[in-house]
């Protein structure tokens, strides 16, 4: 830990991007006690950052005395606001090579085999789908030699089940892999990025009280009766509080300001500026309640002037560009208060930072698709006609109407009733606001 503190003090990035350069990816070696033979071994710690995901800590222990080894991965970020569930239809051998980050709090299931790996029974891992299956097979085979002597009947059933697991690696038959992580820190690769993956469904949900307890989170059920008055006092005040830089984890300061958007509502703008590494970030949160209906805003981009329109994208808003067959999920870019041009450039930067579409891990055809996509996006920024759609189930997103208070001929706003699944994602189905007894 002293090595980590020294890097933070000097301002060097603690969590570095994955790189093929050895100088950039030097692990920290720590002498550790081997829990197998109780001699001294060594642990290698690598603090790295997966673009398009988050920071992780990879640790690898080896013992030169008994040759025992152990490798695991831990999330270096905070527990997310919502849990996440990945449901993947594995149809081919290529799907077995998808990168997977599985946190120790994640539950892994294969419904076709009625197979489940409960949460907190395995350490976190950075692997592939094939690697997850190999790890499950190794765990089941661990005590088979003893079982064949003490309980041959159970051992025979396990051998039969292990054979079924091994056949999954050939991808001869389609099966479903479900990774359910209440902490929100697990991840499954989307090889179709920046397009939506037709075989992968990502669902975010509100954690239950039991899941919060398992993660060590204590909910605060108290409600501040003076909340409205407090927000009123913040309108002309910039609050400053201490935090850590999301890039290098060094101490930094975050500014927060309550801003009223004309013809819309109040939003909270948060900006962080790190003096150590120079990283800057900003995020926007809605200052109001969830609307009764969702909102779908469609803007027809017909003039380069449209690029300067103010735009508010909440953290629950999806972005669609039909001409590019592109869809950006609600949690990909968090909340932003920017312009149309700024949003398109952020989308381009997000796509280019995806580690599975660039560098040594990128296939040639995937790189060509990525270049074609970014070229088309640049043309739209330069003035080519297209449609921009903001779909926000919470109704907290906004695009500036330059003709206000008159209707905008190039923009349509549609209010719609949310589905049960959308209310579930927003945590509204479990919310009760009436009928409480004193």
């Amino acid at each position: 830990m002293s090595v980590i503190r020294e890097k933070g003090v000097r301002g060097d990035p603690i969590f570095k991007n994955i790189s093929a350069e050895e100088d950039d990816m030097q692990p920290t070696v720590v002498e550790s006690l081997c829990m197998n033979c109780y001699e001294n071994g060594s642990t290698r710690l690598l603090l790295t950052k997966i673009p398009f995901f988050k920071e992780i800590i990879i640790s690898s222990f080896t013992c030169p005395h008994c040759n025992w080894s152990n490798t695991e991965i831990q999330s270096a970020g905070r527990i997310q606001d919502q849990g996440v569930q990945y449901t993947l239809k594995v149809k081919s051998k290529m799907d077995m090579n998808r990168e997977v980050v599985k946190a120790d709090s994640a539950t892994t299931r294969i419904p076709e085999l009625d197979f489940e790996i409960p949460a907190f029974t395995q350490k976190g891992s950075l692997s592939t789908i094939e690697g997850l299956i190999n790890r499950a097979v190794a765990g089941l085979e661990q005590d088979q030699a003893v079982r064949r002597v003490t309980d041959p009947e159970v051992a025979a059933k396990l051998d039969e089940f292990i054979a079924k697991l091994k056949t999954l690696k050939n991808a001869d038959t389609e099966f479903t892999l479900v990774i359910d992580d209440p902490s929100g820190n697990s991840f499954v690769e989307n090889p179709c990025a920046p397009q939506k993956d037709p075989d992968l469904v990502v669902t975010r949900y509100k954690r239950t009280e039991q899941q919060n307890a398992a993660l060590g989170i204590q909910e605060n059920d108290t409600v501040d009766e003076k909340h409205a008055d407090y927000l009123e006092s913040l309108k002309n005040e910039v609050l400053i509080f201490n935090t850590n830089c999301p890039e290098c984890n060094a101490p930094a300061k975050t500014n927060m300001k309550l801003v009223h958007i004309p013809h819309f509502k109040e939003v909270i703008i948060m900006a962080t500026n790190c003096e150590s590494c120079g990283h800057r970030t900003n995020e926007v949160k809605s200052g109001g309640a969830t609307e009764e209906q969702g909102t779908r805003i469609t803007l027809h981009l017909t003039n380069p002037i449209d690029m300067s329109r103010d735009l508010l994208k909440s953290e629950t808003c999806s972005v669609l560009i039909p001409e590019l067959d592109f869809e950006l999920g609600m949690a990909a870019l968090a909340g932003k208060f920017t312009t149309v041009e700024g949003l398109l450039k952020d989308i381009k930067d997000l796509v280019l930072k995806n580690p599975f579409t660039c560098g040594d891990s990128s296939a040639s055809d995937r790189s060509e698709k990525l270049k074609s996509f970014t070229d088309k996006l640049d043309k739209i920024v330069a003035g080519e006609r297209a449609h921009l759609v903001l779909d926000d189930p919470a109704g907290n997103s906004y695009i500036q109407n330059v003709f206000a208070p008159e209707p905008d001929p190039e923009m349509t706003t549609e209010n719609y009733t949310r589905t049960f699944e959308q209310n579930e994602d927003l945590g509204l189905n479990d919310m009760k606001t009436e009928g409480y007894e004193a």
Side-chain angles (χ1 to χ4, degrees):
M1 294 300 294
S2 61
V3 176
I4 296 176
R5 292 193 188 99
E6 288 174 5
K7 290 183 179 179
V9 171
R10 292 199 309 265
D12 297 335
I14 297 177
F15 296 91
K16 296 184 179 181
N17 291 328
I18 294 177
S19 172
E21 300 294 333
E22 293 186 2
D23 293 339
D24 294 337
M25 302 297 291
Q26 288 294 329
T28 301
V29 182
V30 181
E31 187 176 355
S32 307
L33 178 67
C34 176
M35 302 308 296
N36 188 48
C37 67
Y38 298 102
E39 296 288 342
N40 282 341
S42 60
T43 298
R44 288 174 171 81
L45 295 174
L46 181 62
L47 286 70
T48 185
K49 181 169 60 176
I50 300 179
F52 215 54
F53 187 48
K54 54 173 66 75
E55 298 89 354
I56 60 173
I57 300 174
I58 302 175
S59 62
S60 175
F61 173 82
T62 55
C63 177
H65 303 283
C66 66
N67 295 322
W68 188 70
S69 63
N70 180 38
T71 302
E72 65 179 79
I73 180 176
Q74 294 180 348
S75 173
R78 63 180 180 85
I79 295 176
Q80 304 303 305
D81 295 333
Q82 292 181 311
V84 64
Q85 177 176 304
Y86 293 90
T87 304
L88 174 66
K89 291 289 185 181
V90 181
K91 299 180 178 179
S92 65
K93 190 72 174 177
M94 292 184 62
D95 288 331
M96 303 300 294
N97 294 325
R98 288 181 186 240
E99 299 283 347
V100 176
V101 176
K102 176 187 171 296
D104 52 3
S105 58
T107 299
T108 305
R109 297 195 301 272
I110 302 178
E112 287 81 359
L113 297 183
D114 196 21
F115 175 70
E116 177 176 320
I117 303 175
F120 301 106
T121 58
Q122 288 184 348
K123 294 294 185 180
S125 62
L126 172 60
S127 181
T128 61
I129 294 177
E130 184 177 2
L132 288 181
I133 296 177
N134 286 335
R135 192 177 184 187
V137 169
L140 293 174
E141 289 180 336
Q142 186 173 3
D143 297 323
Q144 275 297 84
V146 178
R147 290 192 193 97
R148 291 188 181 97
V149 176
T150 59
D151 198 340
E153 186 176 344
V154 173
K157 291 181 179 179
L158 272 177
D159 284 335
E160 181 181 351
F161 185 81
I162 290 171
K164 292 180 180 179
L165 270 180
K166 289 181 177 179
T167 58
L168 294 182
K169 295 190 294 182
N170 299 325
D172 295 332
T173 58
E174 177 182 325
F175 68 93
T176 307
L177 178 70
V178 181
I179 297 179
D180 190 339
D181 185 6
S183 73
N185 286 327
S186 292
F187 173 75
V188 176
E189 176 193 359
N190 172 13
C192 302
Q195 274 74 36
K196 185 177 181 180
D197 190 337
D199 297 325
L200 180 64
V201 178
V202 183
T203 305
R204 302 189 183 275
Y205 59 87
K206 182 180 179 182
R207 284 185 292 269
T208 63
E209 293 182 3
Q210 292 78 9
Q211 289 172 327
N212 280 326
L215 295 172
I217 301 175
Q218 183 177 2
E219 287 189 333
N220 184 9
D221 298 327
T222 61
V223 179
D224 188 359
E225 297 178 355
K226 299 181 180 180
H227 180 64
D229 295 336
Y230 178 67
L231 287 178
E232 185 70 23
S233 66
L234 295 180
K235 286 186 176 180
N236 299 317
E237 184 178 357
V238 178
L239 297 181
I240 302 175
F241 54 92
N242 296 324
T243 183
N244 290 85
C245 174
E247 186 72 19
C248 68
N249 210 33
K253 293 184 178 180
T254 296
N255 298 330
M256 184 177 74
K257 178 74 167 64
L258 192 66
V259 177
H260 177 74
I261 299 178
H263 306 288
F264 190 52
K265 60 175 67 174
E266 292 176 339
V267 297
I268 299 172
I269 299 178
M270 305 176 69
T272 302
N273 185 12
C274 178
E275 296 181 356
S276 297
C277 67
H279 178 73
R280 296 183 179 182
T281 181
N282 66 81
E283 187 175 355
V284 176
K285 298 285 186 181
S286 173
T290 301
E291 298 294 327
E292 295 183 0
Q293 291 183 307
T295 302
R296 184 179 294 108
I297 306 173
T298 303
L299 174 63
H300 187 197
L301 302 173
T302 60
N303 194 301
I305 299 178
D306 290 330
M307 292 294 113
S308 61
R309 288 180 185 243
D310 289 334
L311 179 146
L312 171 66
K313 175 199 172 298
S314 76
E315 62 273 15
T316 59
C317 179
S318 300
V319 181
L320 295 88
I321 305 177
E323 286 78 5
L324 300 183
D325 192 24
F326 174 78
E327 179 178 351
L328 183 72
M330 65 167 64
L333 277 177
K336 283 190 174 292
F337 183 40
T338 179
T339 61
V340 173
E341 182 180 4
L343 177 65
L344 295 179
K345 289 185 176 180
D346 286 340
I347 291 174
K348 179 180 177 181
D349 292 340
L350 182 67
V351 170
L352 291 175
K353 288 181 180 178
N354 186 348
F356 305 117
T357 58
C358 60
D360 297 337
S361 63
S362 176
S364 58
D365 58 338
R366 189 180 300 178
S367 299
E368 292 176 0
K369 291 180 181 179
L370 180 64
K371 186 177 185 306
S372 175
F373 173 82
T374 55
D375 289 344
K376 291 178 181 178
L377 200 60
D378 289 336
K379 290 180 182 179
I380 293 177
V381 174
E384 186 174 290
R385 290 180 175 238
H387 289 81
L388 179 67
V389 182
L390 300 186
D391 191 345
D392 188 358
N396 288 327
S397 294
Y398 157 87
I399 298 179
Q400 180 187 8
N401 176 6
V402 294
F403 296 91
E406 300 298 326
D408 191 329
E410 302 297 341
M411 185 169 65
T412 58
T413 302
E414 173 190 357
N415 295 322
Y416 61 88
T417 302
R418 286 185 291 268
T419 63
F420 178 86
E421 290 76 14
Q422 288 173 324
N423 282 327
E424 189 72 15
D425 291 340
L426 296 174
L428 299 178
N429 291 331
D430 300 326
M431 188 179 296
K432 184 178 180 182
T433 58
E434 298 179 355
Y436 283 101
E437 295 182 1

